[in-house]
Amino acid sequence: MSLAASGLHFAYSPGRPVLRGLSLDLHPGELAYLLGPNACGKTTLLLCLAGVLSPGQGTVELDGLPLEKLAPRARARRLAYVPQLHEPPFAYTAWQVVLMGRAPFLAGWQRPRREDTRAVRQALDQLGIAGLAHRPYTSLSGGEQRLVLLARALAQGAKFLLLDEPDAHLDPAHQLGVQKTLRDLAKSGHGLLATTHSPTHALLYPNRVFLMGAGKLIAAGPPGEVLTPRTLEQAYGTSFRLLSSPDGIQALVAVESTSPHPRRRFSVSES
């Protein structure tokens, strides 16, 4: 079983490619992080993997089947997407938003069943946000909304989860809680691909890391091999330093470049 992309090309307008022949795969039991500078194509890649966008070239396969050949309901039972931002048209409660994750299992106007309400309750409890259940989603903070969207994906029961900055807008304690939840989900057999702007989180938590630049993969592999000051400087155009504590904990931080000629980011003109 896998979620695999091969040779993806995508452009929102002709002559301005966002993805340029990108290939990667994701397997059950794996937590992978996707990093890269703003506008390098991370969110676009997730949308192509989720089937929200159709690539101009290349393929996305889910368990060996072309994604476009799967009916939306069948695809939603195997694959969930958690966006960066979400603006609901109505003031649904957090419970109702999470319950929407059960839609692939309900026919037409069928009322939620006992197993559906149980899945919602378990997802809220797992993220420690049961207290938000009856509050309007629109009244929640950005961080609380992010946790509700993650709970919706958990209630959906999909094998593969695509998460766009799942720890954004969260305080450190909730960031740590989300990281633990993602690791636990991977250990339970889920395959997760999450974007992040934190090299340190990507160094500490996932099994594998993908580093993007200008619509292509710069590097892929174990975090300790991919996330070096050199590769990060190539990707982001600024210097990085690897810090280590006496107990072995490491962190990657951006620092002001001391070089008179800082490295240039990868550009779309490069082959």
Side-chain angles (χ1 to χ4, degrees), residues 29-242:
E30 179 179 39
L31 172 58
Y33 273 32
L34 177 65
L35 293 90
N38 290 333
C40 74
K42 299 186 299 297
T43 296
T44 299
L45 174 59
L46 290 191
L47 292 173
C48 286
L49 292 174
V52 178
L53 296 177
S54 297
Q57 297 179 39
T59 61
V60 177
E61 293 188 348
L62 181 58
D63 297 339
L65 299 173
L67 202 61
E68 69 271 13
K69 297 291 181 64
L70 290 171
R73 187 181 296 271
R75 186 169 61 205
R77 290 181 177 183
R78 306 182 193 184
L79 180 63
Y81 170 65
V82 179
Q84 284 187 40
L85 302 172
H86 176 247
E87 296 183 5
F90 303 105
Y92 296 110
T93 65
W95 176 278
Q96 290 170 323
V97 172
V98 178
L99 182 59
M100 292 175 190
R102 301 300 300 170
F105 302 92
L106 299 171
W109 296 98
Q110 182 183 0
R111 294 176 60 85
R113 303 155 302 173
R114 183 174 299 176
E115 55 262 42
D116 300 313
T117 57
R118 182 168 58 246
V120 172
R121 188 175 299 109
Q122 288 175 345
L124 291 169
D125 288 341
Q126 187 171 356
L127 292 177
I129 55 172
L132 303 179
H134 302 295
R135 288 180 55 185
Y137 178 85
T138 51
S139 72
L140 303 180
S141 70
E144 290 171 333
Q145 289 182 351
R146 185 59 55 88
L147 292 172
V148 170
L149 292 179
L150 181 54
R152 183 179 67 179
L154 298 183
Q156 192 171 326
K159 195 71 172 180
F160 293 98
L161 302 179
L162 305 172
L163 308 111
D164 206 351
E165 299 184 38
D167 58 1
H169 311 299
L170 298 179
D171 61 50
H174 279 101
Q175 286 184 9
L176 184 61
V178 167
Q179 302 298 339
K180 181 180 183 301
T181 296
L182 299 186
R183 285 188 297 178
D184 289 345
L185 287 169
K187 290 177 182 178
S188 69
H190 290 79
L192 302 98
L193 177 62
T195 66
T196 183
H197 280 299
S198 172
T200 295
H201 286 173
L203 183 67
L204 294 176
Y205 300 115
N207 311 109
R208 193 158 49 128
V209 168
F210 299 104
L211 183 60
M212 282 187 69
K216 301 187 297 183
L217 286 183
I218 298 172
E225 296 178 10
V226 172
L227 299 177
T228 67
R230 177 182 175 83
T231 57
L232 290 172
E233 185 174 351
Q234 289 176 321
Y236 291 96
T238 192
S239 296
F240 282 81
R241 186 169 297 166
L242 178 63

